Each structure stands twice: as structure tokens, then as C-alpha cells.
Amino acid sequence: MKRLFITLIALFSLTTAQAQWLDALKKVATEAIDKATDGKLTQLAVIGTWSYSAPAVKFESDNALSNIGGSAVSATLGDKLEKAFTKVGISSGFCSITFNEDGTYTMPVKGREVKGTYTYNSEDHSLTLKVGQSGKVEVKGYAYISGTNLQVVFPINKLTDFMVAIGSNIKSLSSITKLIEQYENIYLGFEFAK
């Protein structure tokens, strides 16, 4: 019985490790293909309906010490963003975004459907969202396919602009800025899955 238990634990550990390896390989493969196609993979793959799964955090810094602690900062920011997003109705299972081939998108948030248009530039991965029929509010972010997920991220001030544009002013985002002052470029946003 003891051997069976140890064997089951070993198999479970192996399966978990294999799943993590497979996920990591998918991410590396999609990034390599996207780079080889000059961003065309993301341009084609972004079309469709994506369900919100978690906050997305990307950052760059010349400070090597900041990069060492980057994963801890990323986790902390992710937790804070998750709480802020939940307050405005963006949570797993309750929010999605649909990018259509004709350059339009829809995003139901808290019982309200946000509509607008988008453009994607494959050269730099920039994704420009125009909110509403008039398109007066324009927010530039970036879109990346990572494995089977889509990350849509914005510079922190643009994320706040986007949230205000869809009708939700998130005051708790201001507390995040204190944490990220040491980083030259920080991008926050949404991770979606199909």
C-alpha cells in the first residue's frame, strides 16, 4: 500500500511537471512563430471571443536588481489588479472580449456592452482601441499571444484611461503606481483565454 501511495505521488508530480513544461513550450513556440512572422500570428489569432482569466503584467527596466525582484512585483501587482478589476465587474467567468474581422470589438462589462473599433499593428504589437460609436476615446496598448492565451496590456496611465472610458473609475490603481515607480516601462492589463 505504501509503495502504491509513493508511486501515485510520483506520477502526480510528473504529470504536474509535464503540464508546466508543456505550457512553457507552448509559450516559447508561439513567441518564436510570432517573431518569425513579424507579428502576423497575433494579428490572425486575436480574432474571436476571449474570456478574461487574470490580470496581465509586463515590465521592462534597465535596473538589474529590479528585474531580479520582477516576479515578486508582478505577483503583487496582479493581486492588486485582480481586486480592482473585480470591483468593476471584470472577473473570470463574467467578462470577455470579441475581436471581429471587420475591426470592431465588443466587451460586456457588468451588464453593459462596450463597443468600439480596433486596429492592430503587427510590427510593434500595438493594439489601438477606440471606445464607443464616436471613437472619441482612443487607447493604445499592446497585444501578445502567449501559448493559448491573449495578453492585452497598456502603459499604466492608458489602462486607467481605458477603465474610465468604459465607465469605471478605479481609484485603487493609484496605489499601484507607488510600487512601480522604479520601473521605466510597465504594462498592465488583461489576460484572456479561448
Side-chain angles (χ1 to χ4, degrees):
M1 183 72 167
K2 187 176 179 180
R3 283 185 180 169
L4 177 62
F5 183 69
I6 292 171
T7 303
L8 287 174
I9 290 174
L11 285 174
F12 177 75
S13 298
L14 183 60
T15 304
T16 302
Q18 287 175 334
Q20 290 172 343
W21 256 112
L22 185 58
D23 189 45
L25 286 174
K26 284 180 186 177
K27 289 180 180 181
V28 168
T30 55
E31 289 172 13
I33 293 168
D34 196 57
K35 189 173 185 174
T37 61
D38 293 326
K40 297 290 185 193
L41 172 66
T42 299
Q43 184 172 8
L44 295 173
V46 75
I47 296 169
T49 299
W50 297 85
S51 298
Y52 171 81
S53 59
V57 179
K58 285 187 170 282
F59 58 90
E60 300 170 3
S61 174
D62 287 337
N63 184 341
L65 292 176
S66 295
N67 288 332
I68 291 170
S71 60
V73 170
S74 181
T76 301
L77 287 173
D79 290 343
K80 287 183 181 261
L81 279 175
E82 188 72 46
K83 290 175 186 171
F85 289 168
T86 301
K87 288 180 184 179
V88 296
I90 298 175
S91 60
S92 184
F94 293 99
C95 184
S96 63
I97 191 166
T98 300
F99 292 102
N100 300 305
E101 289 184 41
D102 66 357
T104 61
Y105 74 91
T106 56
M107 184 176 182
V109 179
K110 217 171 192 175
R112 193 175 137 211
E113 188 168 76
V114 177
K115 295 180 178 184
T117 59
Y118 75 94
T119 54
Y120 176 78
N121 182 341
S122 60
E123 291 177 16
D124 64 357
H125 284 261
S126 62
L127 176 71
T128 303
L129 300 173
K130 292 185 179 181
V131 181
Q133 291 179 333
S134 65
K136 286 183 181 178
V137 177
E138 184 176 294
V139 183
K140 183 179 177 182
Y142 299 89
Y144 301 94
I145 297 292
S146 181
T148 57
N149 293 339
L150 167 67
Q151 292 181 333
V152 178
V153 294
F154 305 90
I156 188 160
N157 61 324
K158 295 299 179 187
L159 175 63
T160 304
D161 291 348
F162 181 68
M163 298 307 291
V164 169
I166 65 171
S168 304
N169 188 357
I170 302 176
K171 294 179 181 176
S172 58
L173 286 179
S174 62
S175 65
I176 295 171
T177 58
K178 292 179 184 175
L179 183 62
I180 60 173
E181 287 176 342
Q182 64 184 330
Y183 297 98
E184 293 171 11
N185 297 306
I186 185 141
Y187 304 92
L188 305 174
F190 317 97
E191 185 161 314
F192 298 93
K194 272 200 173 177

